[in-house]
C-alpha cells in the first residue's frame, strides 16, 4: 500500500489511549485510500504535487525555551522530493507500508503588502538565519548513516527501506534504533538547533526519525503560515487551524475563495495578530466576525471586492492598529477603530469613506480618484492626531481642504500632495510640517513659496515638474534636502538654509542664478544647466562641485572658488565642457583636483594652488599660456595643447613632465627640483637656453626625450652635464653632426637613441670603442641612419659592451658577417664577461672577442643578403630580428643562447642553417624557403616550441607532421589553413 503523506501533522498514540491520527490516514484496510472526512489529505492542495510534509506533533515535545522562533512556512515549489519506502511488519497490525514522501509544493512570488506592525514585531523576535544549515535528505542523511546500512550487493541506489525499514527477528527496528542512538539529542538542544531552520528544512528534518519529527512540529516553529497563491481548500485550512491554534500570522493572499478561509481564520485562531487577504471577494459577514478576533493587530486586504461592491462595509475593531485596503472595490467604507494608528486606502475605488479613528497617525489615500474633495476633508479632519497624510493623485483636492486640515491636524508633519493640480498653498499654514512633496503640481508658483516659508520646521522639499514655478527663495533653518527637476520655467534659486545638505537641480533649462548659503552642504552637482551664468556660494564645508556642461558660465566663476569666495575648504572642482570659459585663474589653498576637459575656448590658465594634485586639460586645444606657480602636481601632460607658446611651472613635488606635441612652445620656465622624467618631443621651438635653464633647475632628471627638437644644439647638450643621473637620452630626428657634447656631458648614459640622425658622420661613433666614451652605455638605436657599412661593422665588432643594438631600416647595412681573420682579431679589444652571465659550462676561446650583445634588430634592411654568426661571436645573443629584409638569402647562425629568431617576410630566403640549442621561437612567415631546408634547420634546435610558417608558398600545411618528427619539442606550429 502506498500512502501520500502531507503537511497534516497527525498526532501519535499517547499513553492515555488517545486516538492516533495515523489510523484514519492508514485506514482500516491497508489497500484503501485515505478517507477524506477522517484525515487531512493534502494531495490536492497544490497543483501537480502529491505531498506537503511529514511533520507530526507529538506529546512531550520540547517546550518554549526562549530560543528564537521560526515564524513563517512558505510552501515553495523547490521543496525536496524523495520517495521513501518503509516496510514495518509490526506497525499497525503488521501491515506492509510504502510511504512516498514527495515534499514538493507549488507556489508563486509574494506580492502582498508588507505590514509595518508585523515588521516591527519581527525585528524584535526574529530568529537568526543560518543558510548553510539546510539539510539535504537525499545526500546528507545518506552520507551520515551509510556506515549503518551498506549498499546492496547488487549495486544500484540505496533505498530508505534498507535504512529504516529492516527489522530483526524480535520485531524491533534495529537500524532505526541505531539511527536514533546515533542522532539522539536532548529535546532542549534539538529545539534550539531547529530554531535556526526554515520550514523547508524542518520538513526535511522531520523525515529523519521520530524524535526529529516531533521536535520539528513544535508550534513555536509554525507561528507564521504562508499560503499565498496556493490552492488550499477550506477543509485543509481548517485542519491546519486545528493543528496550530496558536498561529499569529496568516497570509491567504491569492488563495481561491478567500471568504470562507478568512472566516475560519478569525473564528478559529484566537491568537491571530496579522492577517493578509486579497484577490477575491470578502462578504460583509467577514467584517462582522472581525470583532470576535480580539487580539488582531494588523489587517491587509489587497485587490479585493468588499461585500457586493455596492453596499457600505463597516469595519469595527477595538484592537486593530494597522489597516490596509489597497486597490479594493467598495461603494462606501465606515471605519471605527479606536486604536487604529495606520490606515491605507491606496488605489481603492470608493467615493465615500467615514473615519472614526481618534488615534490615527498615518493616512494614505493616494490615487483614490473617486474620493471627492469634501470626502477627503471629512476623513482627514476626523483624525486630529494625524502626522502623515498621502493624498497624491487626488486631483480634486483644493486649498480649502488643506487649510481645514492644517487647522485641525496641528501635528501634521508629512504631506504628499503630488499630482494635485488644484492646490497652490496660498494662505495655507502648515507650521509643523517636516516633509512636503509637491511633484507635478501645476498650481505651485513663486507665490506659493510665501506659504512654504511659514513651515519653519521643514526638512525635505520636493518640487519636481512644477511647470509654472519661476523662482524659489527660502530661509528655512532646518531644511536639509530640496529637489527641483524638470522645472522648465525656473530661473532663480535663493536658499539661506544653514542645515541644507542635499540639492538636486537638473533639467531646468532657464535657470540663470543660484545663491546658496549653508554650513552643512558638502557636495553640489549642477550638471547641464545651459543658462546658468551666476553662482554665489557661502558654504564653509563644501568639498565637491560639479558644473559639467554649464555652457553659459563666465570667467567670474573663478572668484567664487578662489580664496575668499565662500568655499574655503573646496577640494574638487569639475568644469568640463564649460565652453564659455576663456581666462581661468584660481588661487586656492584647498583645491586638490581640477578638471577643465573640453573647455575649447580656454586660452589662458593660471593656477596658484599649492596643494593641487590633479588637473585635466583634455580637449583644451586652444590653450596658449599656462602658469602653474606653485602647484602640488606630481605629473603633468600638456602634450594635448598644441598651441601653447608660454609655460611656467613651479612644482616642488613633480616627477614627470610631458610636453610632447607643443610644437610652438618657445618660452618655458620649469622649476621642478624632483623632476626625473622630461619629454619634450616635437617641441620644435625649444632652444638651448630653455634646455640649459631646465637642466639647472631640475638636477634629478634621469630620462630626457628631445626627439624632433631641431633647435637644440651643442650648447644645450653641453648643459646636460648638470644632470648627473641622466641615463636615458633620445635625440632622434635631430640635425646633430657630432656627438662630442654627449660624450662630454652624459657620462652615466645607458640608453642613447639616434634614430634618423642623418647628418652624423661615419666617424661620430668611434669614441665609443676607441676612446671608451660612455662606458655605461648598453643600448644604442641607430635606426634609419646613414652610417656606412664599415662604420656599422666596426661598431658591432669593437663596441663589445653594448647589449641592445637597433639598426632598423639602415640602407647601408650589407652582409652581417661576424667571422674574423687572424689579422682582425689582433685589433679587437677583449671584454671580460661579468659574473652571472648565462654561459653555461661552455667557455669562449680566449682569442675571440667577448661580446655582450643580447638583442639585435635589423628590421627592413634592404641590402642584407647574408648573415653569418659563429658560436664564439654571438654567444650571449638571445634575440635577433631580421624581418622585412627582402634580399636576405643565406642565414647561418650558431648561437648558444639565441631564443627568438624572426625572419618573417624575408621573401628571398633560400638557405637556413641553425645551431641554436636554446632557440624556442622561429618566425618564417611569408618566406620562400622550401620545406626540406626548414626541416633540416629545426632538427638541430632541440628546445624549439613555436614555429610560424604561415603564407610560405613552398611549405604545405598538410605536411606539418614531418616538422614535428624532425623537431619533437615543437608545441605550436602556425601555418595557413589551406595550401598556398
Amino acid at each position: 500500500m502506498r500512502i501520500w503523506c502531507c503537511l497534516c501533522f497527525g498526532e501519535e498514540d499517547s499513553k492515555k489511549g488517545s486516538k492516533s491520527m495515523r489510523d484514519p490516514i492508514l485506514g482500516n484496510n491497508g489497500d484503501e485510500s485515505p478517507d477524506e472526512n477522517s484525515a487531512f489529505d493534502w494531495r490536492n492542495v497544490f497543483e501537480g504535487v502529491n505531498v506537503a510534509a511529514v511533520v507530526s506533533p507529538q506529546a512531550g515535545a520540547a517546550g518554549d525555551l526562549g530560543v528564537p522562533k521560526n515564524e513563517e512556512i512558505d510552501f515553495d515549489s523547490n521543496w525536496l522530493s524523495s520517495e521513501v519506502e518503509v516496510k514495518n511488519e509490526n506497525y499497525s497490525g503488521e501491515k506492509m507500508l510504502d510511504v512516498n514522501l514527495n515534499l514538493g509544493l507549488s507556489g508563486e512570488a509574494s506580492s502582498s503588502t508588507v505590514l509595518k506592525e508585523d515588521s516591527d514585531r519581527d525585528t524584535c523576535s526574529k530568529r537568526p538565519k543560518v543558510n548553510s544549515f539546510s539539510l539535504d535528505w537525499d545526500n546528507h542523511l545518506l552520507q551520515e548513516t551509510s556506515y549503518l546500512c551498506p549498499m546492496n550487493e547488487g549495486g544500484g541506489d540505496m533505498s530508505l527501506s534498507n535504512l529504516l525499514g529492516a527489522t530483526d527477528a524480535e520485531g524491533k527496528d534495529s537500524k532505526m534504533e541505531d539511527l536514533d542512538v546515533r542522532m539522539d539529542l536532548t529535546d532542549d538542544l534539538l529545539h534550539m538547533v531547529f530554531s535556526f531552520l526554515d520550514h523547508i528544512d524542518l520538513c526535511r528534518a522531520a523525515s529523519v526519525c521520530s524524535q526529529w519529527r516531533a521536535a520539528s512540529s513544535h508550534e513555536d516553529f509554525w507561528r507564521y503560515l504562508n499560503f499565498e497563491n496556493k490552492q488550499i481548500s477550506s477543509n485543509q485550512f481548517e485542519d491546519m487551524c486545528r493543528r496550530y491554534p496558536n498561529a499569529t500570522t496568516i497570509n491567504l493572499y491569492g488563495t481561491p475563495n478567500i471568504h470562507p478561509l478568512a472566516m475560519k481564520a478569525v473564528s478559529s485562531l484566537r491568537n491571530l495578530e496579522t492577517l493578509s487577504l486579497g484577490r477575491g471577494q470578502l462578504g460583509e459577514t467577514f467584517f462582522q466576525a472581525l470583532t470576535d478576533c480580539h487580539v488582531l493587530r494588523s489587517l491587509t486586504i489587497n485587490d479585493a471586492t468588499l461585500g457586493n461592491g455596492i453596499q457600505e462595509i463597516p469595519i469595527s475593531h477595538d484592537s486593530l492598529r494597522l489597516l490596509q485596503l489597497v486597490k479594493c472595490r467598495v461603494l462606501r467604507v465606515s471605519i471605527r477603530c479606536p486604536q487604529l494608528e495606520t490606515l491605507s486606502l491606496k488605489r481603492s475605488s470608493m467615493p465615500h469613506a467615514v473615519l472614526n479613528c481618534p488615534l490615527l497617525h498615518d493616512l494614505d489615500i493616494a490615487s483614490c480618484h473617486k474620493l471627492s474633495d469634501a470626502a477627503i476633508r471629512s476623513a482627514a479632519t476626523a483624525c486630529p492626531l494625524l502626522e502623515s497624510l498621502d493624498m497624491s493623485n487626488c486631483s480634486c483636492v483644493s486649498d480649502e481642504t488643506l487649510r481645514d486640515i492644517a487647522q485641525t491636524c496641528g501635528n501634521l508633519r508629512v504631506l504628499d500632495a503630488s499630482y494635485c493640480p488644484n492646490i497652490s498653498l496660498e494662505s495655507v499654514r502648515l507650521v509643523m510640517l517636516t516633509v512636503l512633496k509637491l511633484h507635478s503640481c501645476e498650481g505651485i508658483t513663486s507665490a506659493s513659496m510665501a506659504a512654504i516659508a511659514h513651515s519653519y520646521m521643514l526638512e525635505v522639499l520636493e518640487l519636481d515638474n512644477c511647470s509654472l514655478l519661476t523662482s524659489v527663495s527660502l530661509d528655512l533653518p532646518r531644511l536639509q534636502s530640496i529637489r527641483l527637476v524638470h522645472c522648465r520655467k525656473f530661473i532663480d534659486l535663493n536658499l539661506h538654509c544653514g542645515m541644507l545638505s542635499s540639492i538636486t537641480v537638473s533639467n531646468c533649462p532657464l535657470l540663470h542664478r543660484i545663491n546658496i548659503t549653508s554650513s552643512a552642504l558638502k557636495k553640489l552637482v549642477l550638471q547641464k544647466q545651459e543658462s546658468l551664468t551666476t553662482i554665489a556660494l557661502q558654504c564653509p564645508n563644501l568639498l565637491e562641485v560639479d558644473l559639467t556642461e554649464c555652457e553659459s558660465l563666465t570667467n567670474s566663476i573663478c572668484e567664487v572658488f578662489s580664496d575668499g569666495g565662500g568655499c574655503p575648504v573646496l577640494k574638487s572642482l569639475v568644469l568640463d565642457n564649460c565652453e564659455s570659459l576663456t581666462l581661468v585663474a584660481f588661487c586656492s589653498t584647498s583645491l586638490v583636483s581640477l578638471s577643465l576637459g573640453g573647455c575649447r575656448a580656454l586660452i589662458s590658465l593660471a593656477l596658484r594652488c599649492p596643494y593641487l594634485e590633479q588637473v585635466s586639460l583634455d580637449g583644451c586645444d586652444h590653450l596658449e599660456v599656462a602658469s602653474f606657480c606653485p602647484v602640488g602636481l606630481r605629473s603633468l601632460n600638456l602634450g594635448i595643447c598644441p598651441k601653447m607658446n608660454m609655460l611656467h611651472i613651479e612644482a616642488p613635488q613633480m616627477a614627470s613632465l610631458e610636453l610632447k606635441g607643443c610644437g610652438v612652445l618657445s618660452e618655458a620656465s620649469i622649476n621642478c627640483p624632483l623632476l626625473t622624467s622630461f619629454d619634450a618631443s616635437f617641441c620644435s621651438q625649444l632652444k638651448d637656453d630653455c634646455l640649459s635653464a631646465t637642466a639647472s633647475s631640475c638636477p634629478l632628471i634621469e630620462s630626457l626625450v628631445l626627439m624632433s627638437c631641431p633647435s637644440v644644439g651643442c650648447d644645450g647638450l653641453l648643459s646636460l652635464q648638470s644632470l648627473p643621473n641622466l641615463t636615458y637620452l633620445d635625440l632622434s630626428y635631430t640635425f646633430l653632426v657630432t656627438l662630442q657634447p654627449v660624450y662630454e656631458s652624459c657620462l652615466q648614459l645607458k640608453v642613447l637613441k639616434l634614430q634618423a640622425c642623418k647628418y652624423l658622420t661615419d666617424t661620430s661613433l668611434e669614441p665609443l670603442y676607441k676612446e671608451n666614451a660612455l662606458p655605461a652605455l648598453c643600448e644604442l638605436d641607430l635606426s634609419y641612419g646613414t652610417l656606412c657599412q664599415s662604420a656599422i661593422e666596426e661598431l658591432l665588432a669593437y663596441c663589445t659592451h653594448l647589449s641592445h643594438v637597433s639598426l632598423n631600416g639602415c640602407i647601408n647595412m650589407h652582409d652581417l658577417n661576424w667571422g674574423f681573420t687572424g689579422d682582425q682579431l689582433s685589433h679587437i679589444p677583449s671584454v671580460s664577461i661579468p659574473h652571472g652571465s648565462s654561459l653555461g659550462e661552455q667557455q669562449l676561446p680566449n682569442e675571440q672577442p667577448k661580446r655582450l650583445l643580447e638583442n639585435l634588430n635589423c628590421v627592413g634592411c634592404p641590402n642584407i643578403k647574408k648573415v653569418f654568426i659563429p658560436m664564439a661571436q654571438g654567444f650571449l645573443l638571445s634575440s635577433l630580428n631580421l624581418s622585412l629584409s627582402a634580399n636576405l638569402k643565406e642565414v647561418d647562425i650558431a648561437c648558444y643562447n639565441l631564443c627568438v629568431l624572426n625572419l618573417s617576410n624575408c621573401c628571398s630566403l633560400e638557405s637556413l642553417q641553425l645551431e641554436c640549442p636554446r632557440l624556442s621561437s622561429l618566425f618564417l612567415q611569408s618566406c620562400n624557403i622550401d620545406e626540406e631546408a626548414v626541416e633540416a634547420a629545426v632538427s638541430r634546435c632541440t628546445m624549439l616550441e613555436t614555429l610560424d610558417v604561415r603564407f610560405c608558398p613552398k611549405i604545405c600545411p598538410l605536411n606539418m607532421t614531418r616538422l614535428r618528427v624532425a623537431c619533437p619539442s615543437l608545441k605550436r606550429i602556425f601555418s595557413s589553413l589551406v595550401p598556398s
Side-chain angles (χ1 to χ4, degrees):
M1 170 182 169
R2 184 175 297 275
I3 295 180
W4 300 94
C5 295
C6 316
L7 189 59
C8 160
F9 307 129
E11 300 177 355
E12 295 184 357
D13 296 336
S14 65
K15 294 182 179 180
K16 296 182 179 180
S18 60
K19 185 177 181 180
S20 174
M21 290 300 297
R22 291 179 179 175
D23 292 337
I25 292 178
L26 297 175
N28 296 326
N29 186 353
D31 297 331
E32 294 177 0
S33 60
D35 184 89
E36 183 176 357
N37 297 324
S38 61
F40 192 134
D41 186 359
W42 283 75
R43 284 175 292 177
N44 299 321
V45 175
F46 307 105
E47 290 185 1
V49 179
N50 294 323
V51 181
V54 290
V55 180
S56 177
Q58 192 176 38
D64 188 359
L65 304 177
V67 296
K69 306 296 189 297
N70 292 57
E71 297 181 359
E72 175 179 358
I73 172 171
D74 190 351
F75 301 105
D76 188 73
S77 60
N78 295 322
W79 281 26
L80 174 67
S81 298
S82 62
E83 181 171 343
V84 182
E85 295 183 1
V86 182
K87 300 179 180 180
N88 193 334
E89 296 179 354
N90 296 318
Y91 179 72
S92 184
E94 299 184 355
K95 295 293 184 179
M96 298 291 291
L97 306 180
D98 290 340
V99 181
N100 187 337
L101 301 180
N102 186 350
L103 305 180
L105 300 174
S106 63
E108 298 178 5
S110 174
S111 60
S112 61
T113 305
V114 178
L115 307 180
K116 181 182 297 183
E117 180 178 333
D118 187 57
S119 300
D120 295 339
R121 180 178 58 80
D122 288 350
T123 303
C124 299
S125 62
K126 179 68 74 176
R127 58 178 172 80
K129 294 285 187 179
V130 182
N131 295 329
S132 63
F133 199 81
S134 175
L135 298 178
D136 189 338
W137 173 249
D138 285 327
N139 299 318
H140 177 74
L141 181 59
L142 292 179
Q143 292 173 3
E144 289 292 325
T145 59
S146 60
Y147 62 91
L148 293 176
C149 22
M151 299 291 290
N152 296 332
E153 295 180 0
D157 296 334
M158 175 186 291
S159 66
L160 289 178
S161 62
N162 295 329
L163 179 63
L164 304 176
T167 60
D168 56 15
E170 298 178 0
K172 296 182 179 179
D173 194 340
S174 59
K175 294 185 179 293
M176 190 64 192
E177 183 179 355
D178 292 342
L179 181 63
D180 285 341
V181 172
R182 178 66 179 175
M183 296 186 178
D184 187 31
L185 297 173
T186 66
D187 290 342
D188 292 354
L189 181 58
L190 195 60
H191 189 90
M192 180 176 296
V193 172
F194 279 14
S195 69
F196 290 90
L197 299 183
D198 59 21
H199 294 94
I200 298 175
D201 290 332
L202 282 172
C203 290
R204 292 171 178 169
S207 304
V208 175
C209 63
S210 59
Q211 183 195 21
W212 285 33
R213 181 168 63 251
S216 62
S217 65
H218 195 278
E219 64 180 10
D220 288 348
F221 306 143
W222 307 94
R223 299 289 188 181
Y224 182 8
L225 303 181
N226 185 2
F227 299 98
E228 182 171 344
N229 296 315
K230 301 300 184 297
Q231 302 296 320
I232 181 173
S233 68
S234 297
N235 291 336
Q236 293 164 348
F237 183 72
E238 182 180 359
D239 188 83
M240 283 297 296
C241 293
R242 184 175 65 255
R243 295 178 182 279
Y244 297 105
N246 294 323
T248 60
T249 301
I250 298 291
N251 187 349
L252 296 173
Y253 178 84
T255 57
N257 199 8
I258 62 174
H259 179 77
L261 301 185
M263 291 292 293
K264 183 61 63 178
V266 298
S267 61
S268 302
L269 303 176
R270 295 304 177 184
N271 295 321
L272 185 62
E273 297 178 0
T274 301
L275 178 60
S276 298
L277 307 169
R279 285 191 180 179
Q281 184 171 4
L282 286 171
E284 184 181 4
T285 56
F286 165 74
F287 298 99
Q288 295 173 355
L290 278 179
T291 56
D292 297 331
C293 193
H294 300 290
V295 297
L296 187 67
R297 295 291 184 272
S298 174
L299 175 61
T300 296
I301 303 176
N302 187 7
D303 192 13
T305 300
L306 308 185
N308 56 14
I310 58 174
Q311 65 183 126
E312 178 178 344
I313 295 297
I315 301 177
S316 178
H317 199 282
D318 293 337
S319 301
L320 201 62
R321 302 294 178 87
L322 183 146
L323 176 61
Q324 293 183 333
L325 304 178
V326 179
K327 200 179 178 181
C328 291
R329 295 164 292 280
V330 62
L331 177 65
R332 179 185 177 96
V333 63
S334 175
I335 302 174
R336 180 190 174 280
C337 299
Q339 300 296 324
L340 193 65
E341 297 177 354
T342 301
L343 173 62
S344 175
L345 303 176
K346 188 174 184 178
R347 300 179 64 188
S348 293
S349 57
M350 58 186 72
H352 303 284
V354 177
L355 304 184
N356 186 358
C357 309
L359 299 183
L360 192 67
H361 292 165
D362 300 330
L363 176 60
D364 185 354
I365 54 174
S367 301
C368 291
H369 300 291
K370 291 187 177 182
L371 276 181
S372 64
D373 186 33
I376 294 174
R377 185 187 316 154
S378 174
T381 55
C383 308
L385 300 182
L386 198 63
E387 295 180 358
S388 176
L389 175 61
D390 186 348
M391 57 174 59
S392 58
N393 280 290
C394 294
S395 56
C396 58
V397 176
S398 64
D399 284 340
E400 182 180 357
T401 294
L402 288 180
R403 282 193 293 268
D404 290 348
I405 293 175
Q407 293 175 1
T408 305
C409 305
N411 294 324
L412 189 64
R413 288 177 171 81
V414 179
L415 174 62
D416 189 347
S418 301
Y419 301 95
C420 296
N422 296 325
I423 65 171
S424 64
L425 295 185
E426 293 184 8
S427 67
V428 177
R429 300 293 182 264
L430 297 166
V431 179
M432 302 300 293
L433 209 61
T434 59
V435 177
L436 177 59
K437 298 181 180 181
L438 299 171
H439 295 218
S440 302
C441 292
E442 299 177 359
I444 297 299
T445 64
S446 300
S448 304
M449 296 303 108
I452 296 177
H454 287 84
S455 302
Y456 64 92
M457 303 286 289
L458 196 63
E459 297 177 359
V460 178
L461 176 62
E462 298 182 2
L463 299 168
D464 296 358
N465 291 291
C466 292
S467 57
L468 299 181
L469 185 63
T470 58
S471 64
V472 172
S473 181
L474 295 173
D475 187 355
L476 297 173
R478 299 194 179 190
L479 187 65
Q480 299 176 13
S481 175
I482 186 171
R483 283 180 55 91
L484 291 157
V485 179
H486 290 289
C487 298
R488 59 177 181 267
K489 293 186 178 182
F490 188 57
I491 297 176
D492 191 4
L493 177 62
N494 190 355
L495 300 174
H496 294 272
C497 309
M499 298 183 65
L500 188 65
S501 59
S502 175
I503 299 177
T504 303
V505 178
S506 65
N507 297 100
C508 299
L510 300 181
L511 181 60
H512 187 70
R513 294 179 300 274
I514 289 181
N515 187 350
I516 299 174
T517 300
S518 172
S519 57
L521 189 64
K522 294 184 178 181
K523 184 175 182 179
L524 177 62
V525 178
L526 299 170
Q527 297 181 354
K528 297 183 179 180
Q529 302 305 317
E530 302 173 357
S531 301
L532 185 61
T533 59
T534 304
I535 296 180
L537 299 175
Q538 292 296 326
C539 304
N541 294 309
L542 187 62
L543 299 176
E544 302 177 37
V545 175
D546 188 346
L547 299 173
T548 300
E549 296 187 37
C550 293
E551 300 176 356
S552 300
L553 285 178
T554 61
N555 298 330
S556 60
I557 194 67
C558 301
E559 300 177 1
V560 178
F561 301 113
S562 295
D563 289 345
C567 305
V569 297
L570 184 67
K571 295 185 179 299
S572 175
L573 176 60
V574 179
L575 296 171
D576 292 346
N577 298 307
C578 295
E579 298 186 358
S580 296
L581 297 179
T582 57
L583 304 175
V584 173
F586 289 108
C587 178
S588 173
T589 56
S590 63
L591 198 61
V592 175
S593 175
L594 174 64
S595 181
L596 295 166
C599 296
R600 302 187 181 278
L602 186 61
I603 297 175
S604 175
L605 176 64
L607 300 178
R608 186 178 294 274
C609 307
Y611 298 103
L612 185 66
E613 297 179 359
Q614 298 178 356
V615 63
S616 175
L617 299 172
D618 295 341
C620 299
D621 48 12
H622 289 80
L623 185 62
E624 298 179 359
V625 179
S627 174
F628 303 86
C629 301
V631 291
L633 296 172
R634 287 175 169 80
S635 64
L636 179 62
N637 183 0
L638 295 174
I640 52 181
C641 305
K643 295 186 177 181
M644 182 177 295
N645 56 58
M646 187 179 298
L647 175 65
H648 299 280
I649 299 178
E650 181 181 335
Q653 305 297 324
M654 186 173 292
S656 175
L657 175 61
E658 185 172 336
L659 303 177
K660 186 176 182 178
C662 297
V664 298
L665 183 63
S666 58
E667 182 179 344
S669 174
I670 301 172
N671 183 9
C672 305
L674 299 182
L675 191 67
T676 58
S677 176
F678 181 35
D679 187 347
S681 303
F682 303 102
C683 294
S684 56
Q685 303 298 321
L686 195 65
K687 297 181 174 56
D688 287 345
D689 55 348
C690 179
L691 181 59
S692 300
T694 301
S696 177
S697 60
C698 308
L700 299 182
I701 291 179
E702 299 175 1
S703 173
L704 179 61
V705 180
L706 298 173
M707 183 174 62
S708 295
C709 295
S711 299
V712 173
C714 293
D715 293 341
L717 295 178
L718 286 173
S719 67
L720 300 183
Q721 61 187 350
S722 59
L723 303 177
N725 298 325
L726 186 65
T727 57
Y728 183 100
L729 179 61
D730 190 347
L731 297 172
S732 303
Y733 297 92
T734 57
F735 299 152
L736 294 178
V737 178
T738 177
L739 294 175
Q740 193 60 36
V742 177
Y743 299 146
E744 295 179 5
S745 57
C746 306
L747 300 180
Q748 303 299 322
L749 203 61
K750 294 181 179 180
V751 179
L752 178 60
K753 292 185 175 293
L754 300 170
Q755 294 184 30
C757 291
K758 299 182 178 181
Y759 294 95
L760 288 177
T761 63
D762 294 337
T763 60
S764 58
L765 297 178
E766 290 184 357
L768 291 177
Y769 51 87
K770 288 186 177 181
E771 302 175 7
N772 199 26
L774 304 181
L777 189 68
C778 59
E779 182 175 345
L780 180 62
D781 191 346
L782 297 171
S783 301
Y784 311 106
T786 57
L787 294 179
C788 65
Q789 172 71 10
S790 59
I792 295 176
E793 289 181 349
E794 290 180 355
L795 176 71
L796 294 177
Y798 303 150
C799 194
T800 56
H801 60 282
L802 292 175
S803 62
H804 294 71
V805 176
S806 294
L807 298 168
N808 303 326
C810 292
I811 58 175
N812 294 328
M813 180 73 177
H814 294 282
D815 293 350
L816 188 62
N817 189 347
W818 286 6
F820 296 96
T821 64
D823 295 337
Q824 289 175 314
L825 292 176
S826 61
H827 296 89
I828 300 176
S830 178
V831 178
S832 61
I833 299 177
H835 178 70
S837 298
S838 57
L839 297 178
E841 297 180 357
Q842 183 175 352
Q843 298 295 326
L844 294 176
N846 292 330
E847 67 273 8
Q848 295 292 337
K850 300 174 183 178
R851 304 173 187 271
L852 299 183
L853 189 62
E854 297 179 6
N855 292 273
L856 177 61
N857 296 317
C858 299
V859 178
C861 295
N863 294 320
I864 294 183
K865 297 181 180 180
K866 180 178 180 180
V867 174
F868 174 60
I869 302 177
M871 180 68 75
Q873 296 301 318
F875 192 82
L876 294 180
L877 190 65
S878 62
S879 176
L880 177 61
N881 193 345
L882 297 166
S883 60
L884 295 172
S885 298
N887 294 315
L888 181 62
K889 293 184 178 181
E890 300 180 23
V891 175
D892 186 356
I893 302 176
C895 295
Y896 182 78
N897 283 310
L898 189 66
C899 295
V900 180
L901 176 60
N902 192 345
L903 298 172
S904 297
N905 295 287
C906 296
C907 52
S908 300
L909 184 63
E910 298 176 354
S911 175
L912 178 61
Q913 299 183 32
L914 301 176
E915 188 175 351
C916 306
R918 295 189 176 183
L919 187 67
S920 61
S921 300
L922 176 60
F923 300 94
L924 297 172
Q925 189 176 146
S926 301
C927 292
N928 284 324
I929 191 170
D930 56 33
E931 193 170 309
E932 291 74 12
V934 175
E935 184 179 350
V938 300
S939 64
R940 306 189 66 182
C941 303
T942 58
M943 298 181 66
L944 187 64
E945 296 181 354
T946 302
L947 176 63
D948 189 348
V949 291
R950 287 175 291 182
F951 312 112
C952 294
K954 295 182 180 180
I955 298 179
C956 180
L958 303 179
N959 295 334
M960 295 297 102
T961 305
R962 295 180 54 185
L963 296 178
R964 292 188 181 276
V965 173
C967 183
S969 62
L970 273 174
K971 296 180 179 178
R972 294 170 293 275
I973 299 180
F974 298 97
S975 62
S976 302
L977 296 178
V978 294
S980 302

